Amino acid sequence: MGWFLFSVGLVSLCSMVCTVSGIGANWGTQCSHPLPPDSVVKLLKDNGFRRVKLFDADYDALRALGKSGIEVMVGIPNDMLPSMASSVKAAEKWVAKNVSTHITTNYVNIRFVAVGNQHFLETYNVSLLKTTFLALQNVQIALIKAGLSGTVMVTVPLNDDMYESSTGLPSGGDFRADIRDQMLAIVKFLIYNNGVIAVNINPFISLYTDPNFPIEFVFFDKKATPINDSGKTYYNMFDANYDTLVWALDRNGFGNLPITVGEIGWPTGGDQNANIEYAKRFNQGFLTHILGGNGTPMRPGMIDAYLYSLIDEDAKSIDPGSFERHWGIFNCDGSAKYQLNVNFVDRKRCVTKPSTKLDDQQAAPSVGYDCGLADGTSHG
Ligand SMILES: *[C@@H]1O[C@H](CO)[C@@H](O)[C@H](O)[C@H]1NC(C)=O
Ligand SMILES: *[C@@H]1O[C@H](CO)[C@@H](O)[C@H](O)[C@H]1NC(C)=O
Ligand SMILES: *[C@@H]1O[C@H](CO)[C@@H](O)[C@H](O)[C@H]1NC(C)=O
């Protein structure tokens, strides 16, 4: 392996191998004293995150991400959707300014554009979905015109209340009746345009809204009574929720659509169940679970997810509950609230490209080598 491969491996080989799946983090910026973007990028790198999801296309954040190799999902906020929906020109301007420029002049590894965002506790309605769908189409047209459709994928982050189960089991999963037609139009469009669907899954809210929810089922320690869904066994809420979506897609003929988990996490304050012990238990359990590579009963394999969230946002609206300001793994000043082992996970992820089985001893060392470089790990 010569110098050429060494240096290329840092950016392109690793991003090729590692982009396929992995752990990212949401980077929200509603802080009273935001950390300098360069410090946030350092935080991401130091902690082994290779993907980041933004809620907008903040210029300084993107500039700081330049040349980092970190895969970026930029977002179009909901309040910009109407203009994008009504005008391809607006979408083209957005893509030119907020995607193309950053890729070509700042070397930002932008890989996804999220069209709108449905946050926890907000419910979808048909009119918002219609606007989202129109905006999605215009953004895709703009990406094609900019010559970026091969590298930048569109996605729509949705809340997990867009689907439900008639039986209470994952196998009863389907899109909610009142938004079903709109959802199918979006999903079909995503499949034909190599997009992905992003879903926000939030076990904490299940517990918050229903005090009788079996608490052990939100964690990953297999201490809850499992659910038997026609022979498929569910030990935790995440798998059951994710597979309800898988069933909804399968049932409507879109079983091939890739899913990414746009937001998942646990807050550390603002509710009796929002504490450091539970947050660490949930997040570490989740990481270990998905990076084991077994996937869910319905979709074995690697799961893509963005932890929610990297840093606390002390200026967020607390209308949904005061826990809203405490989702961070890190405090506003960048100090860690608890230790989360993402790095070990990272290495595992890197050896798990689709063509490589976890136990494939021959592939593992060389892939691990290339991936290790980017996080500064020395390999002798
Ligand atoms: C680019 O993104 C920023 C941040 O989200 C936004 O304020 C701005 O309006 C966008 N630019 C265009 C041309 O749409
Ligand atoms: C649907 O959602 C949009 C955006 O959140 C909101 O402005 C509108 O009032 C909602 N409509 C209904 C009927 O709830
Ligand atoms: C799960 O349910 C199936 C029938 O749906 C049954 O055949 C199987 O024995 C059950 N498994 C367990 C562990 O209860």
Side-chain angles (χ1 to χ4, degrees):
M1 188 177 294
W3 169 250
F4 175 72
L5 197 51
F6 177 89
S7 54
V8 167
L10 202 85
V11 188
S12 62
L13 184 55
C14 196
S15 60
M16 228 165 65
V17 174
C18 303
T19 58
V20 181
S21 50
I23 283 291
N26 282 273
W27 174 3
T29 51
Q30 296 180 51
C31 296
S32 54
H33 300 87
L35 278 179
D38 288 336
S39 307
V40 178
V41 172
K42 186 169 185 320
L43 208 58
L44 287 166
K45 281 177 155 175
D46 289 351
N47 289 281
F49 290 108
R50 288 249 170 67
R51 307 180 131 194
V52 69
K53 177 165 163 282
L54 307 178
F55 292 95
D56 51 20
D58 183 73
Y59 183 85
D60 294 325
L62 285 166
R63 200 188 43 188
L65 285 161
K67 300 189 183 143
S68 68
I70 294 172
E71 267 190 48
V72 182
M73 183 186 290
V74 286
I76 300 175
N78 287 351
D79 60 11
M80 290 187 78
L81 295 183
S83 77
M84 302 278 173
S86 59
S87 151
V88 181
K89 274 272 171 292
E92 284 179 37
K93 276 187 186 155
W94 190 91
V95 166
K97 173 121 179 27
N98 287 325
V99 182
S100 306
T101 309
H102 287 288
I103 291 177
T104 54
T105 64
N106 292 332
Y107 307 102
V108 185
N109 188 12
I110 298 178
R111 302 304 294 270
F112 298 93
V113 172
V115 180
N117 184 40
Q118 206 51 23
H119 204 262
F120 300 147
L121 294 180
E122 290 170 30
T123 16
Y124 252 97
N125 64 45
V126 173
S127 79
L128 179 59
L129 275 179
K130 280 186 175 149
T131 310
T132 304
F133 184 40
L134 291 170
L136 176 68
Q137 295 173 70
N138 286 344
V139 169
Q140 178 67 13
I141 290 169
L143 287 171
I144 291 169
K145 283 192 173 176
L148 291 172
S149 57
T151 47
V152 181
M153 291 186 264
V154 281
T155 186
V156 179
L158 297 155
N159 205 359
D160 67 356
D161 69 356
M162 67 183 166
Y163 49 89
E164 60 194 8
S165 168
S166 54
T167 59
L169 295 171
S171 57
D174 201 349
F175 294 108
R176 234 170 60 201
D178 61 320
I179 55 170
R180 194 161 171 275
D181 291 347
Q182 284 304 316
M183 278 308 307
L184 293 183
I186 288 175
V187 158
K188 189 172 177 181
F189 184 86
L190 289 173
I191 262 199
Y192 283 128
N193 291 280
N194 294 318
V196 303
I197 190 164
V199 59
N200 300 334
I201 294 181
N202 194 348
F204 167 77
I205 296 296
S206 302
L207 200 58
Y208 180 76
T209 49
D210 176 7
N212 294 321
F213 195 88
I215 185 161
E216 285 300 331
F217 200 57
V218 305
F219 294 110
F220 297 89
D221 311 297
K222 296 195 173 179
K223 286 187 185 162
T225 310
I227 290 174
N228 179 355
D229 187 0
S230 314
K232 296 209 184 314
T233 311
Y234 289 89
Y235 295 98
N236 63 73
M237 189 196 154
F238 171 79
D239 284 359
N241 189 316
Y242 187 97
D243 277 2
T244 306
L245 173 59
V246 173
W247 272 101
L249 292 169
D250 279 2
R251 171 159 286 123
N252 292 289
F254 301 110
N256 292 330
L257 184 63
I259 299 172
T260 190
V261 179
E263 297 181 12
I264 186 160
W266 201 276
T268 56
D271 179 62
Q272 55 171 350
N273 292 315
N275 54 55
I276 287 183
E277 182 197 340
Y278 282 2
K280 181 175 177 168
R281 188 176 168 207
F282 180 84
N283 282 332
Q284 191 65 65
F286 175 71
L287 289 175
T288 307
H289 175 58
I290 71 163
L291 287 140
N294 294 326
T296 64
M298 284 296 290
R299 275 214 188 166
M302 294 304 281
I303 290 172
D304 283 341
Y306 296 84
L307 291 186
Y308 188 85
S309 190
L310 188 66
I311 315 169
D312 272 353
E313 293 178 86
D314 63 359
K316 271 194 92 170
S317 159
I318 55 169
D319 290 349
S322 41
F323 56 82
E324 276 290 5
R325 293 183 176 170
H326 306 280
W327 288 97
I329 301 161
F330 295 92
N331 292 302
C332 288
D333 65 1
S335 59
K337 294 183 192 171
Y338 51 92
Q339 291 306 313
L340 205 55
N341 197 345
V342 181
N343 265 317
F344 88 95
V345 144
D346 197 43
R347 193 120 322 121
K348 241 185 182 172
R349 160 162 77 81
C350 289
V351 301
T352 324
K353 59 177 177 172
S355 55
T356 312
K357 290 211 290 289
L358 251 182
D359 56 2
D360 186 339
Q361 291 305 315
Q362 298 204 302
S366 69
V367 177
Y369 175 83
D370 290 317
C371 291
L373 291 173
D375 65 359
T377 315
S378 61
H379 293 259

